[in-house]
Amino acid sequence: MFRSAILRAGKVSPRTIVQPQLFGTQRVAWTGFSSIRFNSSDSSAVSDAAAGAASKVSEIQTQLPSFDENTIETVSQVGQVIGDASNQIGYLSSIGMAKSWLWPPDLIQNVMEQIHFYAGLPWWATICVTTVLARVLLFPLYVKYSDTLGRTSKIKPEMDKVNADLMACSDTTKAQQIAMKRRKLLSENGIKNRYLIVPVVQIPIAISFFTSIREMCLYPVDGLATQGIAWFQNLTLADPYLGLQCLTAAMFVALARKGGESGAQQFSPQMKKVFTYLPILTIPVTMNLSAGVVLYLAVNGVCSMIQTLLLRNQTARKFLNIAEVVNHPAPENQGPQKGVFESFRENIQKAKDQAEKRAMMKEQDDKMKDLAKKEKENQRIKIVRKK
């Protein structure tokens, strides 16, 4: 009431103020009070001032650009620039990744970037292709590993006897003779123990894949959030249905049942139980990992299973010249099979006894060397008699 009374009395100069909204095109006009004049003015002057203010406001409205259109255009241009840059070689290096071709995680990131750019594959397919490529490069080593296990299975009874004699021996000279016999037995059957470390070689490769893909998902690299497949469209987030985790666990359980990645390993029933339940425990452990990381684990498990089935096939083994696995019957005096923990304790005790015997043999060997040295020095002493 006070405001309307003042305006009717002509004692206020009206001012129209326009407040543009930042994220909309609507402009709100409202009437404010610039000053209260106590001198009586003509109503025509007030109307002229209001008309001038309205014309200035309309002129400002026509001159101001549309903030929303410019913002949308700018954001779209920035997004297009980032998208174009992410599809070029060197994008990962520009954001602090893939700095070297020598460090394994950086090497894998460089290879994935090359495949993603030149093959034009989405990121989920890039991860799969890179994983398969790594398994193909490792396949010849697994062929040698499976062949070594097959050749070793043929001479298992002789090797067990030689190893038992070597463990029970306490004489240095006799132990050397047994070791020479063992070395000759391996050489005659074409067995090279260096291929037995092939499964260990895959461990740093798996760690490098895990580290590189996890770093890319945590950044995240442009495209990983939209270039997924099936139920995991966003590779930077965890699998919402745990499908990849269950697939990985199933592959490793089947892998243990089929004799490992070489297809020739012979696990005891107790070890098979351990390898059956252990992969199931990995499901809650990996449930919060990015889908890109678990995708690598699942594809790696599928490749391992395919490799196992191939190396167990008789036709494939003959074509690749892999020795057949010979299953020898268990000795009659072996007794019932021992449990996992009992076997573990027995192996630790055997290793401890062997270490003590080796220390004793080394001590005896040092004593023999000292005696031989003293005898050699005594031979140089000449007894001189005075005439």
Side-chain angles (χ1 to χ4, degrees), residues 214-232:
R214 185 170 182 268
E215 183 182 6
M216 294 171 63
C217 292
L218 290 178
Y219 183 78
V221 171
D222 185 71
L224 287 176
T226 57
Q227 297 179 16
I229 192 175
W231 67 90
F232 50 96

Side-chain angles (χ1 to χ4, degrees), residues 61 68 134 143 166 179 203-204 256 284 287 297 311-312 330 376 384:
Q61 290 179 356
D68 293 333
V143 171
L166 187 60
I203 295 177
M287 63 184 300
L297 297 176
L311 294 179
R312 286 177 61 89
K376 188 175 182 179
V384 180

Side-chain angles (χ1 to χ4, degrees), residues 68-82:
D68 293 333
E69 295 178 359
N70 292 338
T71 304
I72 295 173
E73 184 179 359
T74 303
V75 171
S76 63
Q77 290 177 357
V78 171
Q80 183 178 1
V81 169
I82 295 176

Side-chain angles (χ1 to χ4, degrees), residues 8-268:
R8 285 195 302 267
K11 295 182 180 180
V12 177
S13 60
R15 182 177 52 144
T16 305
I17 298 177
V18 177
Q19 182 181 6
Q21 295 181 352
L22 293 179
F23 299 99
T25 57
Q26 183 181 3
R27 291 174 174 82
V28 182
W30 57 281
T31 304
F33 307 100
S34 60
S35 63
I36 299 177
R37 295 186 300 175
F38 294 96
N39 54 344
S40 60
S41 57
D42 191 8
S43 61
S44 61
V46 175
S47 61
D48 292 340
S55 63
K56 290 182 180 180
V57 169
S58 62
E59 182 179 357
I60 292 174
Q61 290 179 356
T62 56
Q63 291 179 358
L64 284 175
S66 177
F67 186 79
D68 293 333
E69 295 178 359
N70 292 338
T71 304
I72 295 173
E73 184 179 359
T74 303
V75 171
S76 63
Q77 290 177 357
V78 171
Q80 183 178 1
V81 169
I82 295 176
D84 294 339
S86 63
N87 292 325
Q88 300 296 325
I89 298 297
Y91 165 68
L92 294 181
S93 178
S94 66
I95 60 176
M97 303 180 189
K99 297 179 181 179
S100 172
W101 285 86
L102 300 177
W103 184 244
D106 293 344
L107 172 62
I108 292 172
Q109 289 176 351
N110 276 311
V111 172
M112 285 195 293
E113 186 177 40
Q114 299 285 332
I115 294 174
H116 177 67
F117 175 73
Y118 289 108
L121 298 175
W123 276 114
W124 73 267
T126 302
I127 295 173
C128 295
V129 170
T130 309
T131 306
V132 173
L133 179 62
R135 294 306 305 243
V136 170
L137 294 177
L138 288 174
F139 183 71
L141 294 178
Y142 275 99
V143 171
K144 292 292 185 180
Y145 176 60
S146 182
D147 181 63
T148 302
L149 292 179
R151 293 177 183 272
T152 305
S153 66
K154 293 181 179 180
I155 60 171
K156 187 177 183 302
E158 293 85 352
M159 285 296 296
D160 291 343
K161 183 179 179 181
V162 172
N163 291 331
D165 294 339
L166 187 60
M167 289 286 293
C169 182
S170 58
D171 186 9
T172 305
T173 306
K174 189 176 180 180
Q176 291 177 356
Q177 293 176 356
I178 297 174
M180 289 294 295
K181 183 180 178 181
R182 182 176 181 272
R183 192 178 298 110
K184 182 180 179 181
L185 184 62
L186 294 174
S187 178
E188 289 176 351
N189 291 273
I191 299 174
K192 298 179 181 180
N193 288 330
R194 62 174 176 266
Y195 291 115
L196 296 178
I197 65 171
V198 171
V200 182
V201 175
Q202 191 182 354
I203 295 177
I205 297 177
I207 294 175
S208 300
F209 265 97
F210 179 87
T211 305
S212 60
I213 299 176
R214 185 170 182 268
E215 183 182 6
M216 294 171 63
C217 292
L218 290 178
Y219 183 78
V221 171
D222 185 71
L224 287 176
T226 57
Q227 297 179 16
I229 192 175
W231 67 90
F232 50 96
Q233 293 292 333
N234 192 340
L235 297 175
T236 63
L237 300 179
D239 185 355
Y241 303 107
L242 300 179
L244 294 174
Q245 286 85 346
C246 294
L247 176 62
T248 305
M251 288 296 102
F252 282 104
V253 169
L255 193 64
R257 293 289 180 178
K258 293 296 183 179
E261 292 181 307
S262 65
Q265 291 172 301
Q266 299 178 4
F267 299 114
S268 63

Side-chain angles (χ1 to χ4, degrees), residues 314-357:
Q314 299 297 329
T315 305
R317 293 184 75 89
K318 290 180 180 179
F319 177 77
L320 297 172
N321 196 21
I322 302 175
E324 297 294 332
V325 179
V326 179
N327 296 319
H328 297 278
E332 297 180 357
N333 56 353
Q334 186 176 0
Q337 292 183 349
K338 301 178 182 179
V340 177
F341 296 102
E342 187 177 357
S343 300
F344 182 71
R345 286 194 297 267
E346 185 178 352
N347 291 332
I348 292 178
Q349 186 63 35
K350 287 182 178 180
K352 184 179 179 181
D353 295 340
Q354 186 177 9
E356 291 177 355
K357 288 181 180 180

